[in-house]
Amino acid sequence: MIKKKNLVFLGPPGAGKGTISEALLAKEDITHISTGDIFRAEIKAQSELGKMAKDYIDKGQLVPDEVVAGMVGSRLAQDDCDKGFILDGFPRTLPQAEMLSAELEKCGRSLDGVIYFAAADEVLLERLTARVLCKKCGKVYNKIFMPPKNAEVCDDCNGEIYQRSDDSLDTAKDRLKVYHEQTSPLIEYYKKQDLLFDINSVQDKADVLADLLKVIA
Ligand code: AP5
Ligand code: MG
């Protein structure tokens, strides 16, 4: 059981880290920090950071560790992280995990738990290639499992529905390969620190959330 709420959401692409973050935020007032969302916002704004990140994201590769860790470090220092936070999609490499420890120490914080969302590659590929989202508010849908009422517009804000460029079958396969090579060692890393909580993400969203709530009650 986790008493405080400084969390890392760890897991392969498509496991549901973003979906379950959104569901948890409807119940808990904590800060959501998704490095993927930050990069997509920077790309939209055509910033220098966005232009640099796009090259990596389009190839299914990771953005360099120092860039991501610096970005997360300054975000974690902000006051809205006092109430607890979810780090969604960070860290993704062992060096990033070490950099995270250093950044947390700098701002006087620590991790309470790492939630590992487990799912098999076949499930992940099916989810990723069917994922669509809203251009305006970012809400995530799935053409098979959680479709918007109207295939072309967002249920919440009427924004245009689109598919992420890195959700093509080939790039999704590349991202899974990168996950297995570079990110999956973090499971053992956090297990050794007694911070890892394993959740089966291949069940209904409501059941995944219920399992998570049991862990962080
Ligand atoms: P990022 O955006 O973080 O992508 P990711 O980790 O590849 O994860 P996804 O967002 O694809 O999956 P998710 O687990 O959030 O699943 P979701 O909830 O959407 O990163 C993108 C890129 O940015 C990276 O490839 C990299 O280049 C760069 N980057 C980001 N962080 C970085 C870092 N730390 N270091 C370096 N580079 C970094 O769900 C997926 C689909 O499944 C949706 O359609 C959803 O509706 C559906 N779904 C979810 N749950 C269920 C369920 N229970 N049942 C059925 N369907 C479900
Ligand atoms: Mg996500």
Side-chain angles (χ1 to χ4, degrees):
M1 190 92 80
I2 301 170
K3 296 227 172 49
K4 285 194 286 159
K5 306 271 164 61
N6 291 348
L7 307 173
V8 165
F9 279 10
L10 173 68
K17 304 179 299 293
T19 300
I20 299 302
S21 294
E22 193 204 348
L24 181 61
L25 294 181
K27 295 188 170 286
E28 295 268 347
D29 182 22
I30 52 176
T31 296
H32 179 221
I33 303 170
S34 157
T35 43
D37 287 352
I38 297 173
F39 286 134
R40 281 183 288 279
E42 295 287 337
I43 290 170
K44 201 170 164 190
Q46 298 185 318
S47 68
E48 284 310 309
L49 174 61
K51 283 179 203 156
M52 186 274 276
K54 191 174 185 322
D55 286 342
Y56 293 95
I57 292 175
D58 283 349
K59 291 187 200 118
Q61 299 296 317
L62 296 181
V63 177
D65 290 336
E66 296 72 19
V67 175
V68 197
M71 186 174 92
V72 173
S74 43
R75 185 66 190 82
L76 281 171
Q78 291 177 25
D79 292 347
D80 63 349
C81 292
D82 289 350
K83 59 187 178 186
F85 56 82
I86 305 168
L87 282 174
D88 166 358
F90 180 90
R92 261 171 147 102
T93 64
L94 287 168
Q96 285 185 21
E98 300 289 352
M99 289 179 208
L100 172 62
S101 298
E103 294 291 346
L104 285 168
E105 205 174 306
K106 260 196 247 167
C107 56
R109 307 192 196 280
S110 59
L111 285 185
D112 301 309
V114 175
I115 313 296
Y116 166 47
F117 293 87
D121 283 10
E122 309 80 72
V123 176
L124 299 167
L125 284 175
E126 187 181 30
R127 284 185 185 176
L128 288 170
T129 51
R131 174 168 54 190
V132 284
L133 56 160
C134 173
K135 217 168 222 173
K136 205 161 143 197
C137 73
K139 188 176 169 86
V140 175
Y141 298 90
N142 191 286
K143 286 194 267 185
I144 303 169
F145 303 109
M146 300 171 196
K149 290 190 191 101
N150 172 336
E152 269 147 45
V153 294
C154 177
D155 295 352
D156 290 357
C157 74
N158 279 332
E160 188 191 332
I161 295 291
Y162 79 107
Q163 184 176 31
R164 271 170 52 174
S165 57
D166 57 343
D167 278 345
S168 65
L169 181 61
D170 283 349
T171 311
K173 281 184 180 165
D174 290 341
R175 286 159 60 207
L176 279 176
K177 189 162 178 275
V178 167
Y179 168 79
H180 289 298
E181 287 170 3
Q182 301 191 47
T183 309
S184 65
L186 291 177
I187 300 167
E188 214 38 54
Y189 175 87
Y190 283 119
K191 206 182 263 177
K192 279 193 187 130
Q193 296 183 25
D194 216 13
L195 281 171
L196 199 84
F197 294 82
D198 198 326
I199 287 192
N200 172 18
S201 61
V202 191
Q203 48 180 343
D204 277 357
K205 174 181 154 182
D207 295 325
V208 181
L209 179 65
D211 283 358
L212 173 65
L213 290 173
K214 276 181 219 151
V215 167
I216 63 170

